[in-house]
mmCIF file of all heavy atoms in Angstrom:
data_model
loop_
_atom_site.group_PDB
_atom_site.id
_atom_site.type_symbol
_atom_site.label_atom_id
_atom_site.label_comp_id
_atom_site.label_asym_id
_atom_site.label_seq_id
_atom_site.Cartn_x
_atom_site.Cartn_y
_atom_site.Cartn_z
ATOM 1 N N LEU A 1229 4.573 15.602 -11.002
ATOM 2 C CA LEU A 1229 4.722 15.789 -12.448
ATOM 3 C C LEU A 1229 4.963 14.561 -13.194
ATOM 4 O O LEU A 1229 4.355 14.225 -14.139
ATOM 5 C CB LEU A 1229 5.704 16.931 -12.711
ATOM 6 C CG LEU A 1229 5.906 17.355 -14.190
ATOM 7 C CD1 LEU A 1229 4.658 18.326 -14.419
ATOM 8 C CD2 LEU A 1229 7.164 18.145 -14.296
ATOM 9 N N LEU A 1230 5.858 13.774 -12.622
ATOM 10 C CA LEU A 1230 6.209 12.520 -13.266
ATOM 11 C C LEU A 1230 5.109 11.489 -13.173
ATOM 12 O O LEU A 1230 4.855 10.774 -14.102
ATOM 13 C CB LEU A 1230 7.595 11.916 -12.576
ATOM 14 C CG LEU A 1230 8.001 10.564 -13.263
ATOM 15 C CD1 LEU A 1230 8.284 10.770 -14.728
ATOM 16 C CD2 LEU A 1230 9.148 9.981 -12.467
ATOM 17 N N LEU A 1231 4.419 11.416 -12.032
ATOM 18 C CA LEU A 1231 3.285 10.575 -12.033
ATOM 19 C C LEU A 1231 2.164 10.893 -13.006
ATOM 20 O O LEU A 1231 1.594 9.927 -13.669
ATOM 21 C CB LEU A 1231 2.592 10.634 -10.616
ATOM 22 C CG LEU A 1231 1.538 9.638 -10.317
ATOM 23 C CD1 LEU A 1231 2.038 8.126 -10.577
ATOM 24 C CD2 LEU A 1231 1.045 9.799 -8.863
ATOM 25 N N ARG A 1232 2.003 12.139 -13.249
ATOM 26 C CA ARG A 1232 1.007 12.580 -14.336
ATOM 27 C C ARG A 1232 1.521 12.186 -15.638
ATOM 28 O O ARG A 1232 0.759 11.594 -16.527
ATOM 29 C CB ARG A 1232 0.739 14.064 -14.306
ATOM 30 C CG ARG A 1232 -0.189 14.567 -15.251
ATOM 31 C CD ARG A 1232 -1.578 13.992 -15.061
ATOM 32 N NE ARG A 1232 -2.458 14.551 -16.111
ATOM 33 C CZ ARG A 1232 -3.483 13.829 -16.525
ATOM 34 N NH1 ARG A 1232 -3.791 12.728 -16.008
ATOM 35 N NH2 ARG A 1232 -4.222 14.317 -17.480
ATOM 36 N N ALA A 1233 2.855 12.365 -15.856
ATOM 37 C CA ALA A 1233 3.445 11.974 -17.170
ATOM 38 C C ALA A 1233 3.321 10.409 -17.398
ATOM 39 O O ALA A 1233 3.017 9.955 -18.567
ATOM 40 C CB ALA A 1233 4.883 12.437 -17.248
ATOM 41 N N LEU A 1234 3.561 9.676 -16.421
ATOM 42 C CA LEU A 1234 3.456 8.255 -16.410
ATOM 43 C C LEU A 1234 2.033 7.746 -16.760
ATOM 44 O O LEU A 1234 1.851 6.966 -17.500
ATOM 45 C CB LEU A 1234 3.960 7.671 -15.063
ATOM 46 C CG LEU A 1234 4.120 6.171 -15.056
ATOM 47 C CD1 LEU A 1234 5.127 5.643 -16.106
ATOM 48 C CD2 LEU A 1234 4.765 5.784 -13.680
ATOM 49 N N THR A 1235 1.117 8.437 -16.029
ATOM 50 C CA THR A 1235 -0.330 8.080 -16.336
ATOM 51 C C THR A 1235 -0.721 8.426 -17.780
ATOM 52 O O THR A 1235 -1.336 7.538 -18.403
ATOM 53 C CB THR A 1235 -1.245 8.970 -15.420
ATOM 54 O OG1 THR A 1235 -0.901 8.605 -13.961
ATOM 55 C CG2 THR A 1235 -2.722 8.658 -15.601
ATOM 56 N N LEU A 1236 -0.211 9.535 -18.295
ATOM 57 C CA LEU A 1236 -0.592 9.888 -19.627
ATOM 58 C C LEU A 1236 0.138 8.982 -20.676
ATOM 59 O O LEU A 1236 -0.541 8.549 -21.583
ATOM 60 C CB LEU A 1236 -0.213 11.366 -19.997
ATOM 61 C CG LEU A 1236 -0.976 12.447 -19.330
ATOM 62 C CD1 LEU A 1236 -0.368 13.834 -19.539
ATOM 63 C CD2 LEU A 1236 -2.433 12.426 -19.794
ATOM 64 N N ALA A 1237 1.370 8.671 -20.413
ATOM 65 C CA ALA A 1237 2.116 7.816 -21.326
ATOM 66 C C ALA A 1237 1.557 6.388 -21.307
ATOM 67 O O ALA A 1237 1.593 5.743 -22.348
ATOM 68 C CB ALA A 1237 3.571 7.843 -21.050
ATOM 69 N N SER A 1238 1.076 5.806 -20.187
ATOM 70 C CA SER A 1238 0.629 4.417 -20.060
ATOM 71 C C SER A 1238 -0.725 4.304 -20.912
ATOM 72 O O SER A 1238 -1.057 3.106 -21.074
ATOM 73 C CB SER A 1238 0.530 4.114 -18.647
ATOM 74 O OG SER A 1238 -0.615 4.837 -18.010
ATOM 75 N N THR A 1239 -1.406 5.323 -21.238
ATOM 76 C CA THR A 1239 -2.582 5.139 -22.016
ATOM 77 C C THR A 1239 -2.194 4.663 -23.458
ATOM 78 O O THR A 1239 -2.969 4.002 -24.065
ATOM 79 C CB THR A 1239 -3.456 6.443 -22.205
ATOM 80 O OG1 THR A 1239 -2.628 7.450 -22.793
ATOM 81 C CG2 THR A 1239 -3.961 6.798 -20.862
ATOM 82 N N ASP A 1240 -1.041 5.133 -23.948
ATOM 83 C CA ASP A 1240 -0.511 4.670 -25.201
ATOM 84 C C ASP A 1240 0.357 3.340 -25.171
ATOM 85 O O ASP A 1240 0.513 2.574 -26.073
ATOM 86 C CB ASP A 1240 0.221 5.757 -25.915
ATOM 87 C CG ASP A 1240 -0.649 6.840 -26.424
ATOM 88 O OD1 ASP A 1240 -1.846 6.621 -26.771
ATOM 89 O OD2 ASP A 1240 -0.302 8.053 -26.472
ATOM 90 N N VAL A 1241 1.110 3.301 -24.066
ATOM 91 C CA VAL A 1241 2.075 2.242 -23.939
ATOM 92 C C VAL A 1241 1.757 1.486 -22.604
ATOM 93 O O VAL A 1241 2.098 1.876 -21.441
ATOM 94 C CB VAL A 1241 3.578 2.789 -23.862
ATOM 95 C CG1 VAL A 1241 4.533 1.568 -23.736
ATOM 96 C CG2 VAL A 1241 3.850 3.639 -25.130
ATOM 97 N N THR A 1242 0.864 0.484 -22.716
ATOM 98 C CA THR A 1242 0.261 -0.093 -21.529
ATOM 99 C C THR A 1242 1.279 -0.742 -20.501
ATOM 100 O O THR A 1242 0.993 -0.704 -19.279
ATOM 101 C CB THR A 1242 -0.739 -1.158 -21.897
ATOM 102 O OG1 THR A 1242 -0.122 -2.135 -22.823
ATOM 103 C CG2 THR A 1242 -1.984 -0.557 -22.798
ATOM 104 N N TRP A 1243 2.351 -1.120 -20.951
ATOM 105 C CA TRP A 1243 3.303 -1.687 -19.915
ATOM 106 C C TRP A 1243 3.801 -0.723 -18.927
ATOM 107 O O TRP A 1243 4.347 -1.089 -17.898
ATOM 108 C CB TRP A 1243 4.383 -2.509 -20.657
ATOM 109 C CG TRP A 1243 5.463 -1.785 -21.397
ATOM 110 C CD1 TRP A 1243 5.430 -1.448 -22.667
ATOM 111 C CD2 TRP A 1243 6.659 -1.105 -20.827
ATOM 112 N NE1 TRP A 1243 6.529 -0.658 -23.031
ATOM 113 C CE2 TRP A 1243 7.272 -0.462 -21.934
ATOM 114 C CE3 TRP A 1243 7.163 -1.032 -19.445
ATOM 115 C CZ2 TRP A 1243 8.439 0.269 -21.774
ATOM 116 C CZ3 TRP A 1243 8.357 -0.289 -19.353
ATOM 117 C CH2 TRP A 1243 8.961 0.369 -20.536
ATOM 118 N N LEU A 1244 3.681 0.548 -19.255
ATOM 119 C CA LEU A 1244 4.208 1.665 -18.373
ATOM 120 C C LEU A 1244 3.356 1.640 -17.031
ATOM 121 O O LEU A 1244 3.743 2.152 -15.994
ATOM 122 C CB LEU A 1244 4.213 2.915 -19.044
ATOM 123 C CG LEU A 1244 5.269 3.184 -20.080
ATOM 124 C CD1 LEU A 1244 5.076 4.477 -20.846
ATOM 125 C CD2 LEU A 1244 6.610 3.155 -19.458
ATOM 126 N N ALA A 1245 2.107 1.153 -17.195
ATOM 127 C CA ALA A 1245 1.166 1.174 -16.144
ATOM 128 C C ALA A 1245 1.618 0.342 -14.886
ATOM 129 O O ALA A 1245 1.281 0.575 -13.700
ATOM 130 C CB ALA A 1245 -0.250 0.718 -16.423
ATOM 131 N N ALA A 1246 2.522 -0.718 -15.120
ATOM 132 C CA ALA A 1246 3.128 -1.420 -14.125
ATOM 133 C C ALA A 1246 4.266 -0.767 -13.239
ATOM 134 O O ALA A 1246 4.639 -1.212 -12.276
ATOM 135 C CB ALA A 1246 3.728 -2.685 -14.747
ATOM 136 N N LEU A 1247 4.649 0.409 -13.797
ATOM 137 C CA LEU A 1247 5.731 1.149 -13.057
ATOM 138 C C LEU A 1247 5.131 1.974 -11.870
ATOM 139 O O LEU A 1247 3.979 2.403 -11.928
ATOM 140 C CB LEU A 1247 6.506 2.072 -14.040
ATOM 141 C CG LEU A 1247 7.088 1.476 -15.233
ATOM 142 C CD1 LEU A 1247 7.798 2.497 -16.010
ATOM 143 C CD2 LEU A 1247 8.070 0.320 -14.773
ATOM 144 N N SER A 1248 5.957 2.159 -10.904
ATOM 145 C CA SER A 1248 5.702 3.075 -9.810
ATOM 146 C C SER A 1248 6.815 3.999 -9.496
ATOM 147 O O SER A 1248 7.914 3.861 -10.132
ATOM 148 C CB SER A 1248 5.272 2.229 -8.529
ATOM 149 O OG SER A 1248 6.403 1.425 -8.159
ATOM 150 N N LEU A 1249 6.710 5.009 -8.648
ATOM 151 C CA LEU A 1249 7.658 5.944 -8.347
ATOM 152 C C LEU A 1249 8.143 5.702 -6.892
ATOM 153 O O LEU A 1249 7.355 5.634 -5.977
ATOM 154 C CB LEU A 1249 7.193 7.393 -8.504
ATOM 155 C CG LEU A 1249 6.639 7.794 -9.798
ATOM 156 C CD1 LEU A 1249 6.300 9.223 -9.807
ATOM 157 C CD2 LEU A 1249 7.846 7.562 -10.871
ATOM 158 N N GLY A 1250 9.451 5.776 -6.773
ATOM 159 C CA GLY A 1250 10.027 5.859 -5.429
ATOM 160 C C GLY A 1250 9.976 7.195 -4.858
ATOM 161 O O GLY A 1250 9.612 8.192 -5.469
ATOM 162 N N PRO A 1251 10.229 7.317 -3.513
ATOM 163 C CA PRO A 1251 10.178 8.749 -2.957
ATOM 164 C C PRO A 1251 11.055 9.733 -3.597
ATOM 165 O O PRO A 1251 10.816 10.937 -3.541
ATOM 166 C CB PRO A 1251 10.630 8.462 -1.492
ATOM 167 C CG PRO A 1251 10.779 7.020 -1.361
ATOM 168 C CD PRO A 1251 10.670 6.281 -2.615
ATOM 169 N N ASP A 1252 12.205 9.267 -4.194
ATOM 170 C CA ASP A 1252 13.075 10.211 -4.854
ATOM 171 C C ASP A 1252 12.731 10.438 -6.289
ATOM 172 O O ASP A 1252 13.483 11.012 -7.079
ATOM 173 C CB ASP A 1252 14.513 9.778 -4.674
ATOM 174 C CG ASP A 1252 14.777 8.384 -5.341
ATOM 175 O OD1 ASP A 1252 13.714 7.667 -5.752
ATOM 176 O OD2 ASP A 1252 15.970 7.986 -5.546
ATOM 177 N N GLY A 1253 11.647 9.865 -6.848
ATOM 178 C CA GLY A 1253 11.319 9.973 -8.181
ATOM 179 C C GLY A 1253 11.846 8.881 -9.097
ATOM 180 O O GLY A 1253 11.651 8.965 -10.281
ATOM 181 N N ALA A 1254 12.549 7.951 -8.561
ATOM 182 C CA ALA A 1254 13.164 6.843 -9.440
ATOM 183 C C ALA A 1254 11.961 5.955 -9.819
ATOM 184 O O ALA A 1254 11.082 5.571 -9.068
ATOM 185 C CB ALA A 1254 14.206 6.105 -8.635
ATOM 186 N N LEU A 1255 12.081 5.483 -11.089
ATOM 187 C CA LEU A 1255 11.170 4.511 -11.537
ATOM 188 C C LEU A 1255 11.375 3.140 -10.890
ATOM 189 O O LEU A 1255 12.473 2.657 -10.994
ATOM 190 C CB LEU A 1255 11.262 4.433 -13.106
ATOM 191 C CG LEU A 1255 10.856 5.709 -13.944
ATOM 192 C CD1 LEU A 1255 11.231 5.483 -15.385
ATOM 193 C CD2 LEU A 1255 9.334 5.874 -13.679
ATOM 194 N N GLN A 1256 10.296 2.554 -10.484
ATOM 195 C CA GLN A 1256 10.422 1.241 -9.821
ATOM 196 C C GLN A 1256 9.634 0.299 -10.550
ATOM 197 O O GLN A 1256 8.605 0.581 -11.151
ATOM 198 C CB GLN A 1256 9.945 1.281 -8.389
ATOM 199 C CG GLN A 1256 10.762 2.196 -7.514
ATOM 200 C CD GLN A 1256 10.223 2.161 -6.060
ATOM 201 O OE1 GLN A 1256 9.001 2.117 -5.832
ATOM 202 N NE2 GLN A 1256 11.177 2.541 -5.179
ATOM 203 N N GLY A 1257 10.095 -0.974 -10.688
ATOM 204 C CA GLY A 1257 9.524 -2.047 -11.465
ATOM 205 C C GLY A 1257 9.894 -2.002 -12.981
ATOM 206 O O GLY A 1257 9.264 -2.704 -13.732
ATOM 207 N N LEU A 1258 10.888 -1.238 -13.393
ATOM 208 C CA LEU A 1258 11.168 -1.088 -14.830
ATOM 209 C C LEU A 1258 11.681 -2.357 -15.438
ATOM 210 O O LEU A 1258 11.251 -2.812 -16.421
ATOM 211 C CB LEU A 1258 12.239 0.009 -15.017
ATOM 212 C CG LEU A 1258 12.565 0.403 -16.351
ATOM 213 C CD1 LEU A 1258 11.369 0.883 -17.076
ATOM 214 C CD2 LEU A 1258 13.644 1.455 -16.401
ATOM 215 N N GLU A 1259 12.568 -3.020 -14.816
ATOM 216 C CA GLU A 1259 13.153 -4.289 -15.316
ATOM 217 C C GLU A 1259 12.062 -5.333 -15.570
ATOM 218 O O GLU A 1259 12.024 -5.962 -16.494
ATOM 219 C CB GLU A 1259 14.240 -4.797 -14.440
ATOM 220 C CG GLU A 1259 15.595 -3.945 -14.594
ATOM 221 C CD GLU A 1259 16.686 -4.572 -13.746
ATOM 222 O OE1 GLU A 1259 16.675 -5.702 -13.473
ATOM 223 O OE2 GLU A 1259 17.639 -3.692 -13.452
ATOM 224 N N GLU A 1260 11.228 -5.459 -14.444
ATOM 225 C CA GLU A 1260 10.131 -6.472 -14.538
ATOM 226 C C GLU A 1260 9.094 -6.124 -15.632
ATOM 227 O O GLU A 1260 8.596 -7.026 -16.304
ATOM 228 C CB GLU A 1260 9.351 -6.535 -13.173
ATOM 229 C CG GLU A 1260 10.287 -7.047 -12.128
ATOM 230 C CD GLU A 1260 11.069 -5.954 -11.368
ATOM 231 O OE1 GLU A 1260 10.979 -4.791 -11.811
ATOM 232 O OE2 GLU A 1260 11.829 -6.256 -10.468
#
């Protein structure tokens, strides 16, 4: 569900495309 939300949100906010998800659903790469 979060991966889908991230994909949809990154179409409007392109820097979100650089994020990935950890196995527990934590956002990775946020600070960078």
Side-chain angles (χ1 to χ4, degrees):
L1229 191 70
L1230 182 60
L1231 187 57
R1232 181 66 182 147
L1234 188 56
T1235 300
L1236 291 169
S1238 66
T1239 61
D1240 289 329
V1241 183
T1242 56
W1243 68 265
L1244 289 173
L1247 302 180
S1248 61
L1249 299 182
D1252 63 348
L1255 292 172
Q1256 297 181 331
L1258 186 61
E1259 289 182 22
E1260 296 85 359

